[in-house]
Amino acid sequence: MYRTPVKVPASPPKLTLLAFLTTTCKTCAGLWSDLKSAPPGGPIGAELVVVTPSKSMEDEEEAKRLLPGGARLHMSSGTWFFYGVLQAGTFLLALPGPEGLEPWLAPGEVLGMASVTDLSELPPLLLQWTRRSPGMTSSSP
């Protein structure tokens, strides 16, 4: 007896929100604080990774203290360089990099990138950016 294969819909791609922050910039102070009270990954449920410059340039203990619950900390100036981030307070939504590597370890496909001064600017951008992602539609959360 033969059965007709069932096509299982692909799961939505894993989205990662990279927040490029420092422990010393004035704008970042407000963003760190707001991130602590915001849902990780915003309205789209992306994994939140805060990317600071390398440990030689940043206070690791202070960054850990400021880190929102549920977020990951990645301290690497290299990540700033390979995405071309020039300003703290930049948020970037990315898909995994080559061979599924996390987008803070290897450049992933960038769905959107913007510098913000207030976290309230981010949700509409995230929703707009998710529309560019394969497997996501404009009605996706």
Side-chain angles (χ1 to χ4, degrees):
M1 180 163 146
Y2 294 99
R3 294 185 181 211
T4 305
V6 176
K7 187 173 183 177
V8 178
S11 60
K14 180 180 176 190
L15 299 172
T16 302
L17 179 61
L18 301 176
F20 292 87
L21 303 175
T22 70
T23 58
T24 56
C25 85
K26 288 186 181 190
T27 300
C28 293
L31 294 170
W32 283 104
S33 176
D34 290 347
L35 281 170
K36 280 201 170 192
S37 61
I44 59 168
E47 179 178 11
L48 176 62
V49 178
V50 176
V51 182
T52 68
S54 296
K55 293 177 184 180
S56 63
M57 300 173 65
E58 278 291 319
D59 180 343
E60 183 177 9
E61 291 307 311
E62 180 67 2
K64 286 179 179 178
R65 186 186 70 74
L66 294 169
L67 190 68
R72 182 185 303 249
L73 176 64
H74 181 66
M75 301 183 81
S76 169
S77 297
T79 305
W80 289 59
F81 294 128
F82 66 63
Y83 282 113
V85 174
L86 302 174
Q87 177 177 331
T90 297
F91 287 78
L92 182 149
L93 187 64
L95 293 170
E99 299 179 20
L101 287 174
E102 302 294 359
W104 61 90
L105 300 175
E109 180 184 346
V110 176
L111 301 175
M113 179 170 141
S115 294
V116 300
T117 56
D118 187 278
L119 206 57
S120 66
E121 300 169 52
L122 201 53
L125 291 170
L126 292 174
L127 293 173
Q128 177 186 350
W129 297 341
T130 58
R131 292 183 188 119
R132 299 179 187 162
S133 174
M136 301 292 271
T137 64
S138 59
S139 62
S140 294

